[in-house]
């Protein structure tokens, strides 16, 4: 299989169109199974009661929010190195989903924190670095929104994402440091109690569902972006008439 | 290459000397933001001492963002930036020279003002010393990383606000280590660890930021 063949926007547009239903239905199916496991199969936690069930949403969203940033950084590096137009479009298509997951992780974290810690928000290292990650997403999308020239926007956004990718581990490290300096280790998130297997299964199913959802949504968005960029070409006109 | 670097620095210093109002603005902004805090949170010396490191550092971040908007904008508007990029010298050197000049104009005066503000915030002498050292190591980070943002937002509408959105999250490590050093001295733990980490971060920025800034300038001016 020649990968460069699919790097052409015209080919990828049709390929993505064929794949979207598979990913979308897969995501819906797995989310259904995952939610069933989380609410009906998984036992009540003896320490945290029913409130722990939020982790089935919380953990996959937090994972995805970080993972999507890495994928964006990967596509940006590829785009800058090989000058492939599609790579930048992938990064653009992924960013809103990443920001959404980031927000959901913070939101569900707050919902979980209220019954567990007695506060909606604590300046814990993980929460704080997640918040800063959300700021990074917002900054990148604001930069894209402000630049009208698509080529300049692609490259400027890519540079910012890569700078952020280098900085993210440093931010996480410094926030952890700051956290231990400013407050005692009254809350310890890292020491997770051993989890029942069925809980882990539920979480992993939800994580895969989040993956498939991300791919499906990113493909829908990237198709839109491709059409927008290629609107002057014949194939794009033909594809628009079909649709 | 060395001569090009010195020329860029000298040119920016000369421009700043001819237009004193421009760079003094961000220094006064720094003083004013810091002075607002006692009015807002109360003048209890104990409380002021506790927040001094953080307040001064946050004010320094904001002041740097204010001055960074102008870093490349004027040269871009009159076309000299394009000429400098067209010269055979690497854009990296241009970005480095600009960052050094910005630090000399923005960071150095800050080091002189900060001890006075530290006195207003009832900081003991050793904490004031640490504050100045932390600013001395940390403000180059602000100039270097801020240069990336200034180059990326060159000529965009709402450039100033956008610059803040882009760069403020990236400043977080400098803020934490810088303000942490002052807090460390106040808590009697010493500041060596934070200052070392801040120095390491500054080294990393010195290595990477001019390079990224150069690339960003090429993207923006193209």
């Amino acid at each position: 299989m020649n990968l460069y063949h699919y790097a052409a926007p015209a080919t990828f547009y049709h390929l993505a169109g064929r794949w979207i239903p598979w990913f979308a239905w897969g995501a819906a199916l797995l989310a259904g199974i995952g939610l069933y496991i989380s609410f009906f199969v998984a036992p009540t936690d003896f320490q945290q009661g029913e409130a722990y069930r939020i982790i089935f949403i919380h953990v996959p969203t937090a994972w995805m929010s970080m993972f999507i940033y890495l994928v964006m950084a990967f596509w940006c590096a590829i785009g800058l190195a090989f000058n492939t137009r599609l790579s930048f479009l992938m990064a653009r298509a992924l960013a809103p989903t990443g920001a959404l997951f980031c927000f959901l992780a913070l939101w569900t974290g707050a919902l979980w924190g209220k019954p567990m810690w007695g506060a909606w928000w604590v300046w814990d290292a993980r929460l704080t670095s997640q918040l800063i990650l959300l700021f990074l997403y917002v900054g990148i999308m604001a930069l894209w929104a402000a630049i009208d020239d698509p080529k300049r926007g692609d490259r400027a956004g890519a540079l910012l994402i890569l700078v952020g990718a280098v900085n993210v581990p440093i931010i996480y490290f410094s926030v952890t440091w700051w956290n231990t300096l400013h407050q005692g280790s009254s809350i310890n998130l890292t020491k997770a109690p051993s989890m029942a297997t069925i809980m882990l299964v539920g979480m992993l199913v939800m994580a895969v569902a989040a993956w498939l959802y991300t791919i499906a949504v990113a493909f829908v968005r990237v198709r839109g972006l491709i059409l927008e960029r290629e609107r002057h070409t014949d194939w794009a006109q033909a594809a628009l008439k079909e649709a | 290459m060395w001569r090009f670097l010195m020329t860029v620095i000298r040119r920016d210093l000369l421009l700043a000397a001819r237009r004193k109002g421009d760079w003094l603005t961000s220094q006064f902004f720094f003083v004013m933001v810091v002075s607002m805090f006692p009015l807002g949170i109360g003048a209890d010396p104990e409380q002021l001492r506790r927040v001094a490191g953080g307040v001064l550092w946050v004010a320094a971040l904001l002041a740097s963002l204010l001055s960074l908007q102008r870093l490349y904008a004027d040269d871009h508007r009159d076309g000299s930036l394009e000429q400098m990029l067209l010269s055979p010298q690497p854009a990296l050197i241009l970005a480095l020279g600009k960052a050094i000049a910005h630090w000399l104009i923005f960071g150095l005066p800050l080091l002189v003002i900060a001890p006075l503000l530290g006195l207003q915030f009832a900081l003991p002498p050793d904490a004031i010393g640490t504050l100045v050292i932390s600013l001395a190591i940390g403000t180059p980070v602000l100039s270097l990383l801020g240069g990336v943002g200034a180059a990326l937002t060159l000529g965009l509408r709402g450039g100033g606000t956008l610059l803040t959105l882009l760069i403020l999250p990236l400043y977080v490590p400098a803020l934490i280590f810088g303000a942490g050093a002052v807090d460390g001295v106040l808590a009697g733990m010493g500041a060596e660890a934070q200052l070392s980490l801040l120095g390491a971060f500054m080294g990393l920025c010195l290595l990477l930021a001019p390079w990224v800034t150069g690339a960003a300038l090429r993207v923006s001016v193209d």
Side-chain angles (χ1 to χ4, degrees), chain A residues 175-213:
Chain A
V175 169
T176 314
W177 179 285
W178 161 80
N179 188 245
T180 48
L181 182 77
H182 281 250
Q183 58 179 51
S185 54
S186 53
I187 299 146
N188 197 342
L189 279 169
T190 25
K191 202 172 91 269
S194 58
M195 201 184 275
T197 320
I198 189 67
M199 293 185 192
L200 192 65
V201 169
M203 218 159 74
L204 289 177
V205 171
M206 288 301 285
V208 177
W211 267 68
L212 296 180
Y213 164 78

Side-chain angles (χ1 to χ4, degrees), chain B residues 97-135:
Chain B
K98 280 285 204 179
I100 293 174
H102 178 261
W103 183 75
L104 290 173
I105 298 163
F106 163 77
L108 216 48
L110 222 60
L111 300 185
V112 182
I113 304 171
L116 298 175
L117 296 172
L119 282 175
Q120 286 191 322
F121 274 70
L123 279 180
D126 53 341
I128 291 184
T130 311
L131 175 69
V132 173
I133 298 173
S134 78
L135 281 172

Side-chain angles (χ1 to χ4, degrees), chain B residues 172-193:
Chain B
V172 166
L175 170 66
I176 288 176
F177 297 138
V182 180
D183 286 353
V185 170
L186 288 178
M189 291 193 297
E192 288 82 8

Side-chain angles (χ1 to χ4, degrees), chain B residues 35-77:
Chain B
S35 310
M36 288 298 131
F37 274 88
L39 301 178
I41 60 175
D44 172 26
E46 197 54 47
Q47 192 182 11
L48 286 181
R49 195 175 303 142
R50 250 201 337 270
V51 299
V55 166
L56 270 123
W57 257 95
V58 171
L61 300 191
L62 297 177
S64 84
L65 287 169
L66 193 71
S67 63
L68 280 163
Q69 294 169 30
R70 309 288 300 273
L71 186 58
Y72 293 106
D74 291 340
D75 290 345
H76 182 53
R77 209 175 305 120

